[in-house]
């Protein structure tokens, strides 16, 4: 495995997280350094994406590199039965870095075992989404001025939501308090609650999305109930509309509260929240470009912090 791969947020240390945030900040100020000249990056998306794929590809383009890949696996030879192992080995012949999203948990880890090319996990099933976590941390740091001692409320699909799983793990270094708001069918899995226990992280579980929980929060992290993860669509129909954030619900919120959502949303945030200054999800997605520029450079072993003025 190439040690520059990013498979799980748990693979990187507190210092590495803070270093990536510093680099993301650098790229927000200097987004157009041509430091990937001659580098080719593959984006292999076996599941749909808008933000992750397009922001990774924009990141490479703005840094002067080239992108190959597919956004629809049915156009690749995996539709003819080619294995993931063979696909990764082939693509490794052509590129310097692989960014991959796959519907199977563990697919990115497996990819790192069959190639020496660095791999960035762009989401593997319900497991992990570490680049999303880096843009979430960057967003939290920008809006709160710190990552330390924050109260973060996660709402919605906490069972299948890979973004909340990754974020929970990353916050282990920053003394968070979590509120988990979910129906019984979509509660935070036991392994993540055990992770909290192991690391001394405080958490409280709720089925009601109450004013008291909103009033206590610094970050309100809304999530979509993911239709694509349900084998029984009747189960999805039962739980899909249980939690919706409406603008009036934010009247009790602290001034510093910001609403985050990895997007796409369906109807878990009312459109009338969009104009509230506490709504931060579109800026959050924009931060993804800078966080991913930082991640790409780290994976390729490129030090960026001495480049100021070279645009
Ligand atoms: N947040 C996120 O992963 O969005 P996409 O599915 O559009 O990439």
């Amino acid at each position: 495995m190439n040690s520059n791969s990013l498979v799980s947020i748990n693979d990187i240390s507190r210092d590495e997280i803070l270093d990536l945030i510093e680099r993301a900040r650098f790229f927000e100020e200097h987004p157009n350094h041509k430091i990937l000249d001659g580098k080719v990056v593959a984006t292999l998306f076996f599941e749909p994406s808008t933000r992750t794929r397009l922001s990774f590809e924009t990141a490479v383009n703005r840094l002067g590199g080239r992108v190959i890949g597919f956004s629809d696996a049915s156009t690749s030879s995996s539709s003819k039965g080619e294995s993931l192992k063979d696909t990764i080995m082939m693509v490794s012949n052509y590129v310097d870095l692989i960014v991959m999203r796959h519907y199977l948990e563990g697919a990115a880890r497996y990819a790192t075992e069959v190639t020496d090319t660095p791999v960035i996990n762009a989401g593997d099933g319900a497991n992990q989404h570490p680049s999303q976590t880096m843009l979430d941390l960057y967003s939290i740091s920008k809006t709160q001025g710190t990552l330390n001692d924050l109260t973060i409320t996660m709402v919605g699909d906490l069972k299948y939501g890979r973004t909340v799983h990754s974020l929970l793990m990353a916050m282990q270094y920053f003394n968070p308090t979590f509120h988990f708001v979910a129906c019984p069918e979509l509660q935070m899995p036991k392994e993540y609650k055990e992770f909290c226990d192991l690391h001394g992280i405080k958490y409280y579980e709720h089925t009601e999305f109450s004013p008291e929980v909103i009033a206590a929060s610094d970050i309100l992290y809304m999530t979509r109930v993911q239709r694509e993860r349900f084998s029984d669509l009747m189960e999805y129909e039962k739980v899909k509309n249980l939690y919706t954030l409406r603008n009036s619900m934010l009247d009790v919120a602290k001034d510093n509260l910001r609403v985050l959502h990895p997007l796409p949303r369906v109807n878990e945030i009312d459109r009338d929240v969009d104009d509230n200054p506490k709504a931060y999800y579109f800026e959050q997605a924009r931060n993804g470009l800078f966080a991913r520029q930082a991640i790409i450079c780290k994976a390729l072993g490129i030090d960026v912090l001495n480049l100021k003025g070279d645009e």
Side-chain angles (χ1 to χ4, degrees), residues 48-53 101 129 132 262-264:
S49 168
T50 296
R51 278 146 293 273
T52 309
R53 185 175 65 82
R101 170 171 290 187
H129 195 349
Q132 175 72 43
L263 305 177

Side-chain angles (χ1 to χ4, degrees), residues 42-286:
T43 54
L44 312 183
F45 277 67
F46 293 85
E47 270 193 336
S49 168
T50 296
R51 278 146 293 273
T52 309
R53 185 175 65 82
L54 295 182
S55 61
F56 264 117
E57 294 187 356
T58 304
V60 175
N61 282 312
R62 285 199 178 276
L63 296 176
R66 298 290 181 100
V67 178
I68 64 165
F70 52 80
S71 58
D72 177 356
S74 70
T75 65
S76 79
S77 285
S78 64
S79 66
K80 302 176 198 164
E82 186 163 54
S83 68
L84 180 60
K85 177 179 179 184
D86 288 2
T87 302
I88 295 298
M89 288 176 69
M90 287 306 101
V91 173
S92 297
N93 289 329
Y94 313 137
V95 302
D96 302 286
L97 173 66
I98 295 173
V99 178
M100 185 177 83
R101 170 171 290 187
H102 203 281
Y103 48 86
L104 288 178
E105 292 184 26
R109 179 79 62 200
Y110 176 73
T112 66
E113 287 166 7
V114 299
T115 180
D116 289 330
T117 303
V119 175
I120 297 173
N121 180 8
D124 61 327
N127 187 31
Q128 286 275 312
H129 195 349
S131 69
Q132 175 72 43
T133 299
M134 284 314 310
L135 77 90
D136 291 345
L137 294 173
Y138 184 45
S139 300
I140 294 169
S141 169
K142 273 175 72 175
T143 60
Q144 305 299 313
T146 182
L147 291 173
N148 294 311
D149 307 320
L150 297 172
T151 297
I152 299 179
T153 295
M154 297 173 161
V155 184
D157 181 354
L158 308 188
K159 178 177 180 184
Y160 298 114
R162 57 194 174 199
T163 64
V164 290
H165 300 161
S166 287
L167 181 58
L168 179 154
M169 289 179 132
M171 288 304 296
Q172 68 179 288
Y173 306 114
F174 306 109
N175 189 37
T177 300
F178 286 115
H179 292 276
F180 300 143
V181 179
C183 62
E185 293 86 346
L186 294 177
Q187 286 187 352
M188 187 62 79
K190 190 164 160 270
E191 71 204 80
Y192 293 101
K193 289 187 276 187
E194 287 174 355
F195 182 92
C196 288
D197 292 337
L198 188 66
H199 292 87
I201 296 171
K202 297 177 284 300
Y203 68 89
Y204 305 92
E205 294 190 279
H206 314 264
T207 52
E208 193 192 344
F209 189 17
S210 68
E212 290 75 22
V213 168
I214 294 173
S217 303
D218 300 304
I219 294 291
L220 196 49
Y221 196 100
M222 302 297 297
T223 65
R224 173 178 67 97
V225 177
Q226 301 174 76
R227 186 176 185 274
E228 63 272 28
R229 306 279 176 233
F230 285 77
S231 50
D232 179 349
L233 285 185
M234 289 304 289
E235 288 300 311
Y236 168 73
E237 291 296 325
K238 271 197 273 180
V239 298
K240 69 177 185 184
N241 287 327
L242 291 180
Y243 301 106
T244 301
L245 179 66
R246 302 181 203 291
N247 199 30
S248 59
M249 293 165 71
L250 293 172
D251 290 350
V252 297
K254 296 196 277 189
D255 288 346
N256 66 302
L257 175 131
R258 292 294 176 273
V259 181
L260 270 57
H261 190 312
L263 305 177
R265 74 170 151 187
V266 183
N267 50 15
E268 57 281 357
I269 300 179
D270 253 8
R271 271 37 182 190
D272 68 358
V273 178
D274 294 356
D275 294 329
N276 190 312
K278 296 185 187 328
Y280 193 75
Y281 28 92
F282 295 122
E283 289 96 329
Q284 178 189 0
R286 179 172 178 272

